[in-house]
Amino acid sequence: DGLFAEGSELLAGRAARRPKALRLLRRAAGLGHMQAATVLGRELLQDAVERDRSGAAAASQQLVPTDLVPAVDPNGRPTGGLRSASDAKLEIVRMRNRNRTGKESDPRQEGIKWLISAADEGSDEAMILLSNAWFEEHEGHREALKALGWTAGNALTYLRTALGGKAKFVDACYNLAILHMEGVEDEQCTYLTRNPAVALMFMRKAANAGDAKAKLWVGVHLMEDGDEEAAVEGWDFIQAAADDGLAAAQVHAAKFLIEASEDDPDLRPVARKYLERAIDQEEPEALFLCAGLFTQEGGSLMGNDGVDYTRALRLYERAGVAGHPEAWCCAGAMHYHGLGTPRDHLEAYRSYERAAQLGSLDAFRNIAYMHFRGEGPLKRNREAAREIMRAVEAAEAAARKPRS
């Protein structure tokens, strides 16, 4: 218990103490401490996810040829492009990883090992984490479980077992609802037939137990049902989730009220209240929505009498920093056309690149266009533009391909 307590305390502190925290948790787990094994497995899977994200970010950058982006623009200003300080740091990490001696174990494999150990001892949380690793998380987790002989059936068994406990009852209900909504099958077997009614039943259980995300899910589902009575009940669930402080529910409530305020202007202050509460949490979609309101020529519920591109740009950039790719794309367009800021193709390129690194294909199109015209930090290069567009078209084709 002492090792677990000290390790948990260090995990909650500075990132520099994380290696020591993991060492303490390993010692506690090795001595049979079930909760330590669960926490250790969870943290190691998170480490694997971060490593995957770093690799994906590096791969996405390859769509924009690095040798075509100069370090400075014609006026001598740093481009902030693919040869930025962050990229230098990323390359240092890559070099460090390449030169490792191999003493460190794979965090994904080790994390799964500890979680299975804890699940076999009866840990509901470990069972939920393992089922999430199969159904919800990164593909690498599922592949690691497949290597151990797992199928979707194993993950479902753990999830159903967790449903019988108290500690993770809500999580089990929520996850089973999602799975019943989608169905579970592979090439060999159908493990769970799609059943929206059963999905709603499980999600109601999670919502009634107080889970805000479940309340939002039930609310959205009921409002989309088309029945007036169901829609009223759905709105009650959404309001409850918003009042619980769930930013996504606050955004959903704001969007609904903004649309409804066209017939009833008295709803505008309520919509603004929900939107501002979500903005206070730096919720990306709330910031993005608010930015769009400031671009309305007739004004909006935010109090602007007309277009306010300057405030819109600031909000788009805040949304981008919070992880909204299309917000960076909009910010890039405003820099490109000089809306709310002097026209600056270099800043436009920087914004488009940030959006591209978050996965926006529209941003890649805009970067291709700038290559084609030789704008911002780029020299005119039509072949580079075509190369990027071919990559974009391939990505779109892959996204349209139905799952097997």
Side-chain angles (χ1 to χ4, degrees):
D1 287 342
L3 292 170
F4 172 70
E6 185 180 355
S8 298
E9 184 178 352
L10 290 175
L11 271 181
R14 296 196 307 270
R17 296 183 176 181
R18 185 176 178 83
K20 182 178 179 181
L22 295 180
R23 287 197 298 272
L24 290 169
L25 290 174
R26 282 190 182 93
R27 288 173 59 191
L31 293 172
H33 196 289
M34 182 176 69
Q35 195 172 358
T38 301
V39 173
L40 177 59
R42 181 193 68 204
E43 294 299 316
L44 290 170
L45 287 189
Q46 288 178 358
D47 287 348
V49 169
E50 289 302 316
R51 189 172 65 177
D52 292 345
R53 285 174 181 165
S54 297
S60 71
Q61 289 184 343
Q62 298 307 310
L63 283 176
V64 184
T66 57
D67 58 335
L68 299 173
V69 184
V72 296
D73 72 355
N75 296 320
R77 295 182 299 169
T79 64
L82 293 169
R83 295 182 180 178
S84 64
S86 61
D87 292 299
K89 292 178 182 178
L90 181 60
E91 182 58 30
I92 290 171
V93 171
R94 291 198 196 104
M95 291 171 61
R96 186 181 301 154
N97 289 339
R98 285 197 297 267
N99 293 329
R100 281 178 177 171
T101 60
K103 293 180 181 179
E104 296 184 13
S105 60
D106 174 26
R108 193 186 330 266
Q109 295 286 354
E110 185 187 0
I112 287 172
K113 180 195 75 172
W114 287 117
L115 287 176
I116 290 176
S117 171
D120 289 344
E121 292 295 320
S123 168
D124 292 347
E125 183 178 0
M127 294 177 192
I128 293 291
L129 289 168
L130 284 166
S131 64
N132 286 350
W134 181 276
F135 291 117
E136 296 182 358
E137 299 290 348
H138 289 59
E139 186 67 23
H141 293 357
R142 181 181 297 186
E143 293 303 316
L145 287 167
K146 282 183 178 179
L148 297 175
W150 268 48
T151 66
N154 297 92
L156 274 172
T157 297
Y158 269 141
L159 195 53
R160 287 167 172 154
T161 303
L163 185 65
K166 293 182 179 180
K168 287 294 176 179
F169 173 80
V170 170
D171 289 341
C173 285
Y174 187 97
N175 291 354
L176 279 169
I178 298 298
L179 296 178
H180 276 285
M181 197 68 187
E182 298 175 351
V184 180
E185 62 181 12
D186 59 22
E187 296 84 356
Q188 285 79 36
C189 180
T190 297
Y191 299 95
L192 200 63
T193 303
R194 184 178 184 275
N195 192 326
V198 175
L200 182 59
M201 177 198 71
F202 276 117
M203 199 64 83
R204 277 183 180 275
K205 288 183 178 182
N208 292 335
D211 187 84
K213 289 183 179 179
K215 292 176 185 178
L216 175 59
W217 191 98
V218 171
V220 171
H221 180 83
L222 291 174
M223 290 191 72
E224 292 176 348
D225 187 66
D227 178 81
E228 184 175 348
E229 185 177 345
V232 172
E233 185 186 8
W235 173 244
D236 290 340
F237 272 107
I238 292 173
Q239 279 188 303
D243 292 341
D244 286 345
L246 184 65
Q250 292 161 357
V251 173
H252 200 93
K255 287 181 176 179
F256 173 78
L257 292 171
I258 289 170
E259 184 177 348
S261 68
E262 295 180 5
D263 298 322
D264 185 358
D266 290 341
L267 295 175
R268 291 162 70 92
V270 185
R272 178 172 178 170
K273 180 189 73 172
Y274 278 124
L275 187 57
E276 288 175 338
R277 288 173 62 190
I279 288 172
D280 287 342
Q281 300 183 58
E282 291 294 304
E283 209 286 329
E285 186 62 25
L287 293 163
F288 182 77
L289 174 60
C290 189
L293 292 174
F294 279 109
T295 66
Q296 294 181 1
E297 293 184 359
S300 73
L301 58 86
M302 300 309 295
N304 53 307
D305 295 327
V307 172
D308 189 340
Y309 285 130
T310 301
R311 294 184 72 178
L313 177 59
R314 287 200 297 268
L315 286 162
Y316 278 135
E317 290 179 336
R318 281 174 63 187
V321 169
H324 199 298
E326 296 312 316
W328 276 127
C329 216
C330 290
M334 295 182 77
H335 282 294
Y336 187 91
H337 296 288
L339 302 175
T341 184
R343 179 177 294 187
D344 190 331
H345 287 174
L346 173 58
E347 284 301 324
Y349 173 82
R350 287 170 171 163
S351 296
Y352 290 147
E353 187 179 53
R354 293 183 181 109
Q357 290 172 355
L358 290 172
S360 170
L361 294 181
D362 286 337
F364 280 118
R365 287 191 186 88
N366 292 335
I367 290 173
Y369 182 78
M370 295 183 76
H371 270 289
F372 190 84
R373 293 175 61 88
E375 295 174 326
L378 307 171
K379 294 182 180 180
R380 186 173 182 177
N381 190 322
R382 294 187 174 182
E383 182 53 39
R386 294 188 185 97
E387 179 183 341
I388 295 169
M389 285 306 302
R390 283 193 291 269
V392 169
E393 290 165 2
E396 288 178 330
R400 289 193 300 267
K401 185 177 180 181
R403 292 181 180 180
S404 57

